[in-house]
Amino acid sequence: MVQLTQIFRMACRDQNAANFLNEGKKIVGVALNYMDVVKARNVPVPKEPLVFLKPTTSYLQEGQPIVLPKVFTKVAYEVELGVVIGKTCKNVSKEDALNYVAGYCLALDLTAQCNLGAARAAGHPWTSKFIPLDQVKDPHNLPLWLTVNGVVKQKGCTADLIFKVPDIISYVSKYMTLEPNDLILTGTPDGSDAFKAGDVIECGMAELAKLTFQVCAE
């Protein structure tokens, strides 16, 4: 799965978290983390988070078009809630996990489904501006939506996450140290599908963020 793009509108406690594009050392993704996806694919509910890593060298700035590489025959959109880590985090409990969060963000993760095995490790994220943290009253009650050419393709809510933010942070911190400005992508609701050059993709998270992107061929 190649992550071609992620779009972020951050809500943060610490202005230093605004530097996650330059200071973050890793991106942690979580697969199959919405119940509607599990049901649609007719697969067992994961017993623990299914995590994978992406390099932070893949970040791109907001405002650039989505460029589809020639080498990929099928690229899909995935709207997600992102979590930015605020301080060093290792072996933390679920009860204490949210104390390590600097902020939340809207993310658009574009995935090359034509080569899922090799592609999870690469990508090019687009990023947006920060939102004051006090506007995110509950990270587990945020509607997410995505349209292509004005047609709704994804519509979900973080209330339907199989593993909540504290679950993910606690689990990941058992196997690796999470550091300030590291990013966790919590997964995408059902409806992820391929798109093409010429499409216009819009996505949003509650009333906190809305982003629009033109798609073009390489």
Short mmCIF file of all heavy atoms in Angstrom, two decimals, residues 23-88:
data_model
loop_
_atom_site.label_atom_id
_atom_site.label_comp_id
_atom_site.label_asym_id
_atom_site.label_seq_id
_atom_site.Cartn_x
_atom_site.Cartn_y
_atom_site.Cartn_z
N GLU A 23 9.96 17.54 12.17
CA GLU A 23 10.57 16.91 13.34
C GLU A 23 10.14 15.47 13.58
O GLU A 23 10.82 14.73 14.29
CB GLU A 23 10.24 17.75 14.59
CG GLU A 23 10.68 19.20 14.51
CD GLU A 23 12.18 19.35 14.39
OE1 GLU A 23 12.91 18.47 14.85
OE2 GLU A 23 12.63 20.37 13.82
N GLY A 24 9.01 15.05 13.01
CA GLY A 24 8.54 13.69 13.24
C GLY A 24 9.47 12.66 12.63
O GLY A 24 10.06 12.88 11.57
N LYS A 25 9.60 11.52 13.30
CA LYS A 25 10.51 10.47 12.83
C LYS A 25 9.79 9.31 12.17
O LYS A 25 10.43 8.52 11.46
CB LYS A 25 11.37 9.97 14.00
CG LYS A 25 12.30 11.03 14.55
CD LYS A 25 13.16 10.47 15.68
CE LYS A 25 14.12 11.53 16.21
NZ LYS A 25 14.95 11.00 17.32
N LYS A 26 8.49 9.16 12.43
CA LYS A 26 7.78 8.04 11.82
C LYS A 26 6.28 8.30 11.74
O LYS A 26 5.73 9.11 12.48
CB LYS A 26 8.05 6.74 12.57
CG LYS A 26 7.76 6.78 14.06
CD LYS A 26 8.24 5.49 14.72
CE LYS A 26 8.26 5.61 16.23
NZ LYS A 26 9.29 6.55 16.73
N ILE A 27 5.66 7.58 10.82
CA ILE A 27 4.20 7.56 10.67
C ILE A 27 3.77 6.12 10.93
O ILE A 27 4.27 5.19 10.29
CB ILE A 27 3.76 7.99 9.27
CG1 ILE A 27 4.28 9.39 8.94
CG2 ILE A 27 2.24 7.93 9.13
CD1 ILE A 27 4.11 9.78 7.48
N VAL A 28 2.85 5.93 11.86
CA VAL A 28 2.32 4.61 12.18
C VAL A 28 0.90 4.52 11.65
O VAL A 28 0.05 5.32 12.02
CB VAL A 28 2.34 4.36 13.70
CG1 VAL A 28 1.78 2.96 14.01
CG2 VAL A 28 3.75 4.51 14.26
N GLY A 29 0.64 3.57 10.77
CA GLY A 29 -0.70 3.36 10.24
C GLY A 29 -1.38 2.18 10.91
O GLY A 29 -0.72 1.26 11.39
N VAL A 30 -2.71 2.21 10.93
CA VAL A 30 -3.50 1.10 11.48
C VAL A 30 -4.49 0.65 10.42
O VAL A 30 -5.27 1.46 9.90
CB VAL A 30 -4.25 1.50 12.76
CG1 VAL A 30 -5.00 0.30 13.33
CG2 VAL A 30 -3.28 2.06 13.80
N ALA A 31 -4.47 -0.63 10.07
CA ALA A 31 -5.36 -1.18 9.05
C ALA A 31 -6.57 -1.86 9.68
O ALA A 31 -6.52 -2.26 10.86
CB ALA A 31 -4.59 -2.19 8.19
N LEU A 32 -7.66 -1.97 8.91
CA LEU A 32 -8.87 -2.68 9.34
C LEU A 32 -9.32 -2.24 10.74
O LEU A 32 -9.54 -3.07 11.62
CB LEU A 32 -8.63 -4.20 9.32
CG LEU A 32 -8.45 -4.84 7.95
CD1 LEU A 32 -8.15 -6.32 8.11
CD2 LEU A 32 -9.67 -4.63 7.08
N ASN A 33 -9.50 -0.94 10.91
CA ASN A 33 -9.83 -0.44 12.25
C ASN A 33 -11.23 0.15 12.34
O ASN A 33 -11.56 0.82 13.31
CB ASN A 33 -8.79 0.59 12.71
CG ASN A 33 -8.83 0.78 14.21
OD1 ASN A 33 -9.20 -0.13 14.96
ND2 ASN A 33 -8.46 1.96 14.68
N TYR A 34 -12.07 -0.08 11.31
CA TYR A 34 -13.47 0.31 11.37
C TYR A 34 -14.34 -0.93 11.18
O TYR A 34 -14.08 -1.75 10.30
CB TYR A 34 -13.81 1.35 10.30
CG TYR A 34 -13.47 2.77 10.70
CD1 TYR A 34 -12.18 3.25 10.57
CD2 TYR A 34 -14.45 3.61 11.20
CE1 TYR A 34 -11.86 4.55 10.94
CE2 TYR A 34 -14.15 4.91 11.57
CZ TYR A 34 -12.86 5.37 11.44
OH TYR A 34 -12.55 6.66 11.81
N MET A 35 -15.38 -1.06 12.00
CA MET A 35 -16.21 -2.25 11.95
C MET A 35 -16.89 -2.41 10.59
O MET A 35 -17.07 -3.53 10.10
CB MET A 35 -17.25 -2.21 13.06
CG MET A 35 -18.04 -3.50 13.22
SD MET A 35 -16.96 -4.94 13.58
CE MET A 35 -16.41 -4.51 15.24
N ASP A 36 -17.28 -1.29 9.96
CA ASP A 36 -17.96 -1.41 8.66
C ASP A 36 -17.02 -1.97 7.59
O ASP A 36 -17.45 -2.67 6.68
CB ASP A 36 -18.58 -0.08 8.23
CG ASP A 36 -17.58 1.06 8.07
OD1 ASP A 36 -16.39 0.87 8.43
OD2 ASP A 36 -17.99 2.14 7.62
N VAL A 37 -15.72 -1.69 7.70
CA VAL A 37 -14.75 -2.24 6.76
C VAL A 37 -14.62 -3.75 6.96
O VAL A 37 -14.60 -4.53 6.00
CB VAL A 37 -13.38 -1.56 6.92
CG1 VAL A 37 -12.33 -2.24 6.03
CG2 VAL A 37 -13.48 -0.09 6.59
N VAL A 38 -14.55 -4.17 8.21
CA VAL A 38 -14.43 -5.60 8.52
C VAL A 38 -15.64 -6.36 7.98
O VAL A 38 -15.51 -7.43 7.38
CB VAL A 38 -14.30 -5.79 10.05
CG1 VAL A 38 -14.43 -7.26 10.42
CG2 VAL A 38 -12.96 -5.25 10.54
N LYS A 39 -16.83 -5.78 8.19
CA LYS A 39 -18.05 -6.44 7.71
C LYS A 39 -18.10 -6.47 6.19
O LYS A 39 -18.47 -7.48 5.59
CB LYS A 39 -19.27 -5.72 8.27
CG LYS A 39 -19.45 -5.89 9.77
CD LYS A 39 -20.69 -5.15 10.26
CE LYS A 39 -20.89 -5.34 11.76
NZ LYS A 39 -22.06 -4.57 12.26
N ALA A 40 -17.72 -5.36 5.55
CA ALA A 40 -17.77 -5.29 4.09
C ALA A 40 -16.81 -6.28 3.44
O ALA A 40 -17.10 -6.84 2.38
CB ALA A 40 -17.46 -3.87 3.63
N ARG A 41 -15.68 -6.51 4.07
CA ARG A 41 -14.68 -7.42 3.51
C ARG A 41 -14.86 -8.85 4.00
O ARG A 41 -14.13 -9.75 3.57
CB ARG A 41 -13.27 -6.92 3.85
CG ARG A 41 -12.97 -5.55 3.26
CD ARG A 41 -11.55 -5.13 3.52
NE ARG A 41 -11.29 -3.77 3.04
CZ ARG A 41 -10.11 -3.16 3.12
NH1 ARG A 41 -9.08 -3.79 3.66
NH2 ARG A 41 -9.96 -1.93 2.67
N ASN A 42 -15.77 -9.03 4.94
CA ASN A 42 -16.07 -10.37 5.48
C ASN A 42 -14.81 -11.03 6.03
O ASN A 42 -14.50 -12.19 5.72
CB ASN A 42 -16.71 -11.25 4.41
CG ASN A 42 -17.33 -12.50 5.00
OD1 ASN A 42 -17.76 -12.51 6.16
ND2 ASN A 42 -17.39 -13.56 4.21
N VAL A 43 -14.10 -10.28 6.87
CA VAL A 43 -12.89 -10.79 7.50
C VAL A 43 -13.08 -10.76 9.02
O VAL A 43 -13.94 -10.03 9.54
CB VAL A 43 -11.66 -9.96 7.10
CG1 VAL A 43 -11.38 -10.09 5.62
CG2 VAL A 43 -11.84 -8.49 7.49
N PRO A 44 -12.31 -11.54 9.76
CA PRO A 44 -12.44 -11.54 11.23
C PRO A 44 -12.09 -10.18 11.83
O PRO A 44 -11.23 -9.47 11.30
CB PRO A 44 -11.44 -12.61 11.67
CG PRO A 44 -11.22 -13.47 10.47
CD PRO A 44 -11.34 -12.55 9.29
N VAL A 45 -12.74 -9.84 12.92
CA VAL A 45 -12.40 -8.62 13.64
C VAL A 45 -11.01 -8.78 14.25
O VAL A 45 -10.73 -9.77 14.93
CB VAL A 45 -13.43 -8.34 14.76
CG1 VAL A 45 -13.03 -7.10 15.55
CG2 VAL A 45 -14.82 -8.18 14.18
N PRO A 46 -10.10 -7.85 13.99
CA PRO A 46 -8.74 -7.98 14.55
C PRO A 46 -8.78 -8.04 16.08
O PRO A 46 -9.56 -7.37 16.73
CB PRO A 46 -8.04 -6.71 14.07
CG PRO A 46 -8.81 -6.27 12.87
CD PRO A 46 -10.24 -6.66 13.14
N LYS A 47 -7.91 -8.88 16.62
CA LYS A 47 -7.83 -9.00 18.08
C LYS A 47 -6.86 -7.99 18.68
O LYS A 47 -6.85 -7.76 19.88
CB LYS A 47 -7.41 -10.42 18.46
CG LYS A 47 -8.44 -11.47 18.07
CD LYS A 47 -8.01 -12.87 18.49
CE LYS A 47 -9.07 -13.89 18.13
NZ LYS A 47 -8.68 -15.27 18.53
N GLU A 48 -6.04 -7.42 17.83
CA GLU A 48 -5.12 -6.36 18.24
C GLU A 48 -4.88 -5.47 17.03
O GLU A 48 -5.13 -5.87 15.89
CB GLU A 48 -3.81 -6.94 18.76
CG GLU A 48 -3.10 -7.83 17.80
CD GLU A 48 -1.90 -8.54 18.41
OE1 GLU A 48 -1.86 -8.70 19.65
OE2 GLU A 48 -1.00 -8.93 17.64
N PRO A 49 -4.43 -4.23 17.24
CA PRO A 49 -4.22 -3.32 16.11
C PRO A 49 -3.25 -3.89 15.08
O PRO A 49 -2.22 -4.46 15.43
CB PRO A 49 -3.65 -2.06 16.78
CG PRO A 49 -4.16 -2.11 18.18
CD PRO A 49 -4.18 -3.58 18.54
N LEU A 50 -3.62 -3.73 13.80
CA LEU A 50 -2.76 -4.16 12.70
C LEU A 50 -1.97 -2.94 12.23
O LEU A 50 -2.48 -2.10 11.51
CB LEU A 50 -3.60 -4.73 11.57
CG LEU A 50 -4.53 -5.90 11.94
CD1 LEU A 50 -5.38 -6.30 10.74
CD2 LEU A 50 -3.73 -7.08 12.45
N VAL A 51 -0.72 -2.83 12.65
CA VAL A 51 0.04 -1.60 12.42
C VAL A 51 1.11 -1.80 11.37
O VAL A 51 1.59 -2.91 11.12
CB VAL A 51 0.68 -1.10 13.73
CG1 VAL A 51 -0.38 -0.84 14.79
CG2 VAL A 51 1.71 -2.08 14.26
N PHE A 52 1.49 -0.70 10.73
CA PHE A 52 2.57 -0.69 9.75
C PHE A 52 3.20 0.70 9.79
O PHE A 52 2.62 1.65 10.33
CB PHE A 52 2.07 -1.03 8.35
CG PHE A 52 0.92 -0.17 7.89
CD1 PHE A 52 1.15 0.98 7.15
CD2 PHE A 52 -0.39 -0.51 8.20
CE1 PHE A 52 0.10 1.78 6.72
CE2 PHE A 52 -1.46 0.28 7.77
CZ PHE A 52 -1.21 1.42 7.03
N LEU A 53 4.39 0.83 9.23
CA LEU A 53 5.14 2.08 9.28
C LEU A 53 5.27 2.73 7.91
O LEU A 53 5.32 2.05 6.88
CB LEU A 53 6.54 1.84 9.85
CG LEU A 53 6.63 1.39 11.30
CD1 LEU A 53 8.07 1.10 11.66
CD2 LEU A 53 6.05 2.45 12.24
N LYS A 54 5.34 4.06 7.91
CA LYS A 54 5.59 4.86 6.71
C LYS A 54 6.67 5.88 7.06
O LYS A 54 6.76 6.33 8.20
CB LYS A 54 4.32 5.61 6.27
CG LYS A 54 3.14 4.73 5.91
CD LYS A 54 1.89 5.60 5.70
CE LYS A 54 0.67 4.76 5.37
NZ LYS A 54 0.65 4.33 3.97
N PRO A 55 7.48 6.30 6.09
CA PRO A 55 8.53 7.28 6.38
C PRO A 55 7.99 8.71 6.38
O PRO A 55 7.12 9.06 5.58
CB PRO A 55 9.52 7.08 5.23
CG PRO A 55 8.65 6.64 4.09
CD PRO A 55 7.56 5.80 4.71
N THR A 56 8.53 9.55 7.23
CA THR A 56 8.11 10.96 7.26
C THR A 56 8.67 11.75 6.09
O THR A 56 8.23 12.88 5.84
CB THR A 56 8.55 11.63 8.57
OG1 THR A 56 9.96 11.49 8.72
CG2 THR A 56 7.85 11.00 9.77
N THR A 57 9.59 11.16 5.34
CA THR A 57 10.10 11.84 4.14
C THR A 57 9.02 11.94 3.07
O THR A 57 9.22 12.61 2.06
CB THR A 57 11.31 11.07 3.58
OG1 THR A 57 10.96 9.70 3.41
CG2 THR A 57 12.50 11.18 4.50
N SER A 58 7.89 11.29 3.30
CA SER A 58 6.80 11.31 2.31
C SER A 58 5.89 12.51 2.42
O SER A 58 5.02 12.71 1.58
CB SER A 58 5.98 10.02 2.44
OG SER A 58 5.39 9.94 3.72
N TYR A 59 6.05 13.34 3.46
CA TYR A 59 5.15 14.48 3.64
C TYR A 59 5.24 15.48 2.48
O TYR A 59 6.33 15.76 1.98
CB TYR A 59 5.49 15.24 4.92
CG TYR A 59 5.05 14.57 6.19
CD1 TYR A 59 5.95 14.41 7.25
CD2 TYR A 59 3.74 14.15 6.37
CE1 TYR A 59 5.56 13.81 8.43
CE2 TYR A 59 3.35 13.54 7.55
CZ TYR A 59 4.26 13.38 8.58
OH TYR A 59 3.87 12.79 9.74
N LEU A 60 4.10 16.02 2.09
CA LEU A 60 4.02 17.10 1.10
C LEU A 60 3.18 18.23 1.66
O LEU A 60 2.37 18.03 2.56
CB LEU A 60 3.40 16.59 -0.20
CG LEU A 60 4.17 15.52 -0.96
CD1 LEU A 60 3.37 15.06 -2.17
CD2 LEU A 60 5.53 16.02 -1.39
N GLN A 61 3.34 19.41 1.11
CA GLN A 61 2.63 20.58 1.60
C GLN A 61 1.24 20.70 0.98
O GLN A 61 1.03 20.33 -0.17
CB GLN A 61 3.43 21.85 1.31
CG GLN A 61 4.75 21.93 2.07
CD GLN A 61 4.56 22.00 3.57
OE1 GLN A 61 3.66 22.67 4.05
NE2 GLN A 61 5.41 21.32 4.31
N GLU A 62 0.31 21.25 1.76
CA GLU A 62 -1.04 21.49 1.28
C GLU A 62 -1.02 22.46 0.09
O GLU A 62 -0.19 23.35 0.02
CB GLU A 62 -1.89 22.10 2.40
CG GLU A 62 -3.33 22.38 2.00
CD GLU A 62 -4.09 23.11 3.08
OE1 GLU A 62 -3.45 23.58 4.04
OE2 GLU A 62 -5.31 23.22 2.96
N GLY A 63 -1.93 22.25 -0.84
CA GLY A 63 -2.04 23.13 -1.99
C GLY A 63 -1.50 22.52 -3.27
O GLY A 63 -1.80 22.98 -4.36
N GLN A 64 -0.70 21.49 -3.14
CA GLN A 64 -0.18 20.81 -4.32
C GLN A 64 -1.24 19.83 -4.84
O GLN A 64 -2.00 19.26 -4.06
CB GLN A 64 1.10 20.05 -3.97
CG GLN A 64 2.24 20.94 -3.50
CD GLN A 64 3.47 20.14 -3.13
OE1 GLN A 64 3.46 18.92 -3.19
NE2 GLN A 64 4.52 20.83 -2.75
N PRO A 65 -1.30 19.62 -6.14
CA PRO A 65 -2.27 18.65 -6.68
C PRO A 65 -1.84 17.24 -6.35
O PRO A 65 -0.67 16.97 -6.07
CB PRO A 65 -2.21 18.92 -8.19
CG PRO A 65 -0.83 19.42 -8.41
CD PRO A 65 -0.51 20.26 -7.20
N ILE A 66 -2.78 16.32 -6.40
CA ILE A 66 -2.47 14.91 -6.26
C ILE A 66 -2.01 14.41 -7.63
O ILE A 66 -2.77 14.44 -8.60
CB ILE A 66 -3.70 14.11 -5.79
CG1 ILE A 66 -4.10 14.57 -4.38
CG2 ILE A 66 -3.43 12.62 -5.82
CD1 ILE A 66 -5.42 14.00 -3.91
N VAL A 67 -0.78 13.95 -7.71
CA VAL A 67 -0.22 13.48 -8.97
C VAL A 67 -0.15 11.95 -8.93
O VAL A 67 0.51 11.38 -8.06
CB VAL A 67 1.18 14.06 -9.24
CG1 VAL A 67 1.73 13.54 -10.56
CG2 VAL A 67 1.12 15.58 -9.23
N LEU A 68 -0.83 11.28 -9.85
CA LEU A 68 -0.85 9.82 -9.88
C LEU A 68 0.36 9.30 -10.64
O LEU A 68 0.50 9.54 -11.84
CB LEU A 68 -2.13 9.32 -10.55
CG LEU A 68 -3.44 9.66 -9.82
CD1 LEU A 68 -4.63 9.17 -10.64
CD2 LEU A 68 -3.45 9.02 -8.44
N PRO A 69 1.27 8.59 -9.97
CA PRO A 69 2.45 8.05 -10.66
C PRO A 69 2.06 7.05 -11.74
O PRO A 69 1.11 6.29 -11.60
CB PRO A 69 3.22 7.35 -9.52
CG PRO A 69 2.75 8.01 -8.27
CD PRO A 69 1.30 8.32 -8.52
N LYS A 70 2.81 7.03 -12.81
CA LYS A 70 2.54 6.14 -13.94
C LYS A 70 2.62 4.67 -13.54
O LYS A 70 1.96 3.81 -14.12
CB LYS A 70 3.52 6.40 -15.07
CG LYS A 70 3.43 7.80 -15.67
CD LYS A 70 4.50 8.00 -16.73
CE LYS A 70 4.44 9.40 -17.32
NZ LYS A 70 5.52 9.61 -18.33
N VAL A 71 3.45 4.37 -12.54
CA VAL A 71 3.70 2.97 -12.18
C VAL A 71 2.53 2.32 -11.44
O VAL A 71 2.49 1.11 -11.29
CB VAL A 71 4.97 2.84 -11.33
CG1 VAL A 71 6.19 3.24 -12.13
CG2 VAL A 71 4.86 3.67 -10.05
N PHE A 72 1.56 3.13 -10.98
CA PHE A 72 0.44 2.57 -10.23
C PHE A 72 -0.82 2.52 -11.10
O PHE A 72 -1.23 3.51 -11.69
CB PHE A 72 0.17 3.40 -8.98
CG PHE A 72 1.32 3.42 -8.01
CD1 PHE A 72 1.74 4.62 -7.46
CD2 PHE A 72 1.97 2.25 -7.67
CE1 PHE A 72 2.81 4.64 -6.57
CE2 PHE A 72 3.04 2.27 -6.79
CZ PHE A 72 3.46 3.47 -6.23
N THR A 73 -1.44 1.35 -11.13
CA THR A 73 -2.64 1.18 -11.94
C THR A 73 -3.92 1.39 -11.16
O THR A 73 -4.98 1.59 -11.74
CB THR A 73 -2.66 -0.24 -12.54
OG1 THR A 73 -2.61 -1.21 -11.48
CG2 THR A 73 -1.46 -0.45 -13.46
N LYS A 74 -3.85 1.35 -9.82
CA LYS A 74 -5.04 1.53 -9.00
C LYS A 74 -4.66 2.23 -7.70
O LYS A 74 -3.95 1.66 -6.86
CB LYS A 74 -5.71 0.19 -8.68
CG LYS A 74 -7.01 0.34 -7.91
CD LYS A 74 -7.66 -1.02 -7.65
CE LYS A 74 -8.97 -0.85 -6.89
NZ LYS A 74 -9.60 -2.16 -6.58
N VAL A 75 -5.13 3.46 -7.54
CA VAL A 75 -4.86 4.24 -6.33
C VAL A 75 -6.18 4.60 -5.68
O VAL A 75 -7.11 5.05 -6.36
CB VAL A 75 -4.06 5.51 -6.66
CG1 VAL A 75 -3.82 6.33 -5.40
CG2 VAL A 75 -2.74 5.14 -7.31
N ALA A 76 -6.29 4.39 -4.37
CA ALA A 76 -7.54 4.61 -3.65
C ALA A 76 -7.38 5.69 -2.60
O ALA A 76 -6.29 5.91 -2.06
CB ALA A 76 -8.02 3.31 -3.00
N TYR A 77 -8.48 6.37 -2.28
CA TYR A 77 -8.53 7.40 -1.24
C TYR A 77 -8.93 6.78 0.10
O TYR A 77 -9.68 5.81 0.16
CB TYR A 77 -9.55 8.49 -1.63
CG TYR A 77 -10.84 7.91 -2.15
CD1 TYR A 77 -11.77 7.33 -1.31
CD2 TYR A 77 -11.11 7.90 -3.52
CE1 TYR A 77 -12.94 6.77 -1.79
CE2 TYR A 77 -12.27 7.34 -4.02
CZ TYR A 77 -13.19 6.78 -3.14
OH TYR A 77 -14.33 6.21 -3.63
N GLU A 78 -8.44 7.36 1.19
CA GLU A 78 -8.79 6.91 2.54
C GLU A 78 -8.78 8.12 3.47
O GLU A 78 -7.72 8.64 3.80
CB GLU A 78 -7.79 5.87 3.05
CG GLU A 78 -7.74 4.60 2.22
CD GLU A 78 -6.71 3.60 2.72
OE1 GLU A 78 -5.89 3.97 3.59
OE2 GLU A 78 -6.72 2.45 2.25
N VAL A 79 -9.95 8.57 3.91
CA VAL A 79 -10.03 9.68 4.85
C VAL A 79 -9.84 9.12 6.26
O VAL A 79 -10.37 8.06 6.60
CB VAL A 79 -11.36 10.44 4.71
CG1 VAL A 79 -12.56 9.57 5.04
CG2 VAL A 79 -11.36 11.70 5.57
N GLU A 80 -9.04 9.81 7.07
CA GLU A 80 -8.68 9.28 8.39
C GLU A 80 -8.53 10.38 9.44
O GLU A 80 -8.26 11.54 9.11
CB GLU A 80 -7.37 8.51 8.32
CG GLU A 80 -7.33 7.42 7.27
CD GLU A 80 -6.13 6.49 7.42
OE1 GLU A 80 -5.66 6.31 8.57
OE2 GLU A 80 -5.70 5.93 6.41
N LEU A 81 -8.67 9.97 10.69
CA LEU A 81 -8.27 10.80 11.82
C LEU A 81 -6.80 10.49 12.12
O LEU A 81 -6.42 9.33 12.24
CB LEU A 81 -9.11 10.47 13.07
CG LEU A 81 -8.59 11.04 14.40
CD1 LEU A 81 -8.71 12.56 14.44
CD2 LEU A 81 -9.31 10.41 15.58
N GLY A 82 -5.98 11.55 12.21
CA GLY A 82 -4.58 11.38 12.58
C GLY A 82 -4.34 11.89 13.99
O GLY A 82 -5.04 12.77 14.49
N VAL A 83 -3.35 11.31 14.65
CA VAL A 83 -2.98 11.69 16.02
C VAL A 83 -1.50 12.01 16.04
O VAL A 83 -0.68 11.22 15.57
CB VAL A 83 -3.26 10.53 17.01
CG1 VAL A 83 -2.88 10.93 18.43
CG2 VAL A 83 -4.72 10.10 16.95
N VAL A 84 -1.14 13.17 16.57
CA VAL A 84 0.27 13.56 16.68
C VAL A 84 0.72 13.42 18.13
O VAL A 84 0.07 13.92 19.05
CB VAL A 84 0.50 15.00 16.19
CG1 VAL A 84 1.92 15.44 16.47
CG2 VAL A 84 0.20 15.10 14.71
N ILE A 85 1.81 12.72 18.32
CA ILE A 85 2.36 12.48 19.66
C ILE A 85 3.07 13.74 20.17
O ILE A 85 3.78 14.41 19.41
CB ILE A 85 3.33 11.29 19.63
CG1 ILE A 85 2.59 10.01 19.22
CG2 ILE A 85 4.02 11.10 20.99
CD1 ILE A 85 1.47 9.60 20.15
N GLY A 86 2.88 14.04 21.45
CA GLY A 86 3.43 15.27 22.01
C GLY A 86 4.68 15.09 22.86
O GLY A 86 5.44 16.03 23.06
N LYS A 87 4.89 13.87 23.40
CA LYS A 87 6.08 13.63 24.20
C LYS A 87 6.45 12.16 24.13
O LYS A 87 5.63 11.32 23.74
CB LYS A 87 5.86 14.06 25.66
CG LYS A 87 4.67 13.42 26.35
CD LYS A 87 4.49 14.00 27.75
CE LYS A 87 3.27 13.39 28.44
NZ LYS A 87 3.09 13.96 29.81
N THR A 88 7.69 11.84 24.51
CA THR A 88 8.20 10.48 24.41
C THR A 88 7.28 9.51 25.14
O THR A 88 6.88 9.74 26.27
CB THR A 88 9.63 10.40 24.97
OG1 THR A 88 10.46 11.31 24.24
CG2 THR A 88 10.19 8.99 24.83
#
